[in-house]
Amino acid sequence: MTDIFDAIDRHAKHTPGSYAFISPAASLNYSGLSDGIRNIATRALTMNISPGSLVGVRCRNPNVEILTNLGLMRAGMRVGIAGNKSTYAEHGVVLDVLLTDGSTHGGKDVAARRHIPLTPDWVQPHEFSNRKIEPTDYGLIFASSGSTGASKLLFASRENIDYRVDVKSGEPWFHEDMRFMTLSQPNSMTSFLDAVITLVKGGQVVRLDAMPPAQTLDAITVFQPTYVNTPPYTLVSLLEGLKTNPRKLRKIDYLRVAGAYCSPQVRASAKELLASHVITSYGATETGRIAFAELEDIAGIDGAVGAIMAGLAVETVDDSGAPLPQGETGELRVKPPAESPLSYFSSGELISPLKDGWFYPGDIGRVDEKNNLIISGRKSSVINMGGNKVDPERVESALIRIDGIEDVAVGPFRSASGYDVIVALVKSSGPIQLEQLNQFLEKNRQIYRIDSIRRVSSIPRNTNGKIDRRAVLEQIKSPAKH
C-alpha cells in the first residue's frame, strides 16, 4: 500500500521547489508542504490532541485548510473533512477539538469539547517540529447527501484511504506531470482523494474558490489543468459560457463528469470544446467508483455510465430482492472488495452500509452483455406517469440545453386523474413558455411532456451540488406565487 506522507516527503527531497498547490492567491511547493504537514502534526500532538481524536477545521483559506487536514492525518487524528460542520450536530456527533482561524463563520454552530485558535504559526517551525511521529492509523469523515438531500456522515479508515489511493493511482490521468483542478465540492471524498493522489504522484493541485463560469474558464486558460472533475450542471454552464463568449482554450487532457446523469449531447459538446478525453463515471461515497468509460466506449448506448470495474460484483434484483438474469432491469446492488466500503458515522457509532455484503445505491438499471452498467433512474425519484416511468435527470439534461435556461429541476405532481404529471422549476434569463419546452422535447424524440412551469430564482441543491429532490417536491406542492 502507498504511504501518502512518505510519497510527499520523497518529492520534497528530490524536487523541493516543485509546486504542490497553486491558486490565484498563493502557491506552495513540496518542501513547504512536507514541512507544513510535520509542523502541524507535531504542534497538535504537543497541545495534547491525542491520536484518534475527532478534529474539525474551520478556515477561510482553502490551502491552509487542506494543509491542516493533512497534518492532522499525519498525527493520527480522525479528521472531519465535511464542509458543513453543522452536519455533525444532525447526527449527534460532538467534535473533540475544533480548530478555527477566527473568520466570520467562527464555529459557534459546531459542538466541540475544545476550541483552539488556528493561528498562522501552526505551519511554522517550532521547538518540537523534529519530534518523532510514530506511524499510526488515521481516519477521515466526509458528508454525503445523495439525490434525496438527506445528509449522511461517512467514516473512512486508513485502510479505506490507502486502498482507494492504490486503485485509482493507476488511472491514466494521474502522473507526475499532471495538474488537477476540481469543479466539484472540494470537501467531497472524490475531490479530496484526487488531490491526495495528485500529491502522491508529484503533480500540482489547483485550488479555486467558487466563481462564475466566465471566471472558471479564465482559470482553466491560465492554469491549464490536465485533469478536471466536474458535476454535469457545472459543465453545462461552462459550455454555455464558451458558446456565448468564445475563446482560445488549451484543451484539458481528461475531463471526468460524475455526480449525476449527463446527457450524450453535453458530453459530446465537452469533447468538442473543452477536453481531449471525456470520462463518465458512476459510484457512491460508500463504495467508491463502480463504473467508468470514455465517451467513445459507450457511444449510442442510452443511459450507459461505463464498464464495471474489476473486483466488483453488480447485480439487479426485483421488488422482492431476488436476483434477476443479466440484462434485465431492476434495482442495482453492488458487492465491493472488503477494503473499500466506508461506514456511516452517527452518535459516535460506526454502521456498515452493506446488507449481507451488498450495497444498494438506490438506482434502477441493468448490466449489458459487454459488462456496461446502464442507469435508467433513481428508485426513489422516478416519476410514474400512469405506468410510464420517467427519470427526472433525463428530463433535466434535455431541458438545460434550451437557450435561456440557466438551471432546471423537475418533479411529479399528482393530477386530478390520480397519476403524476411533470412540473419544471426553471431558472432562466428571460421568459420561458411551456410550449417552447414541449416542442423542444418532441423535436428531440422525448416521449414525455411538461405539464407546467414555475420560474424560480435558484434550484435547490445540496452541499455536493446535486439537486435536492426533497426540496424540489416541497416547492412543487406549495401554492404557486404570482
Side-chain angles (χ1 to χ4, degrees), residues 144-147 233 259-260 283 460-469:
S144 178
S145 50
S147 62
Y233 80 97
R461 293 183 179 274
N462 59 42
T463 55
N464 291 334
K466 296 182 180 181
I467 292 174
D468 186 336
R469 298 291 172 194

Side-chain angles (χ1 to χ4, degrees), residues 38 45 51 73-76 131-137 158:
R38 166 167 284 279
L45 292 170
M73 290 167 59
R74 181 70 181 86
R131 169 181 172 172
K132 184 178 180 180
I133 305 174
E134 298 292 342
T136 185
D137 289 338
R158 180 171 183 170

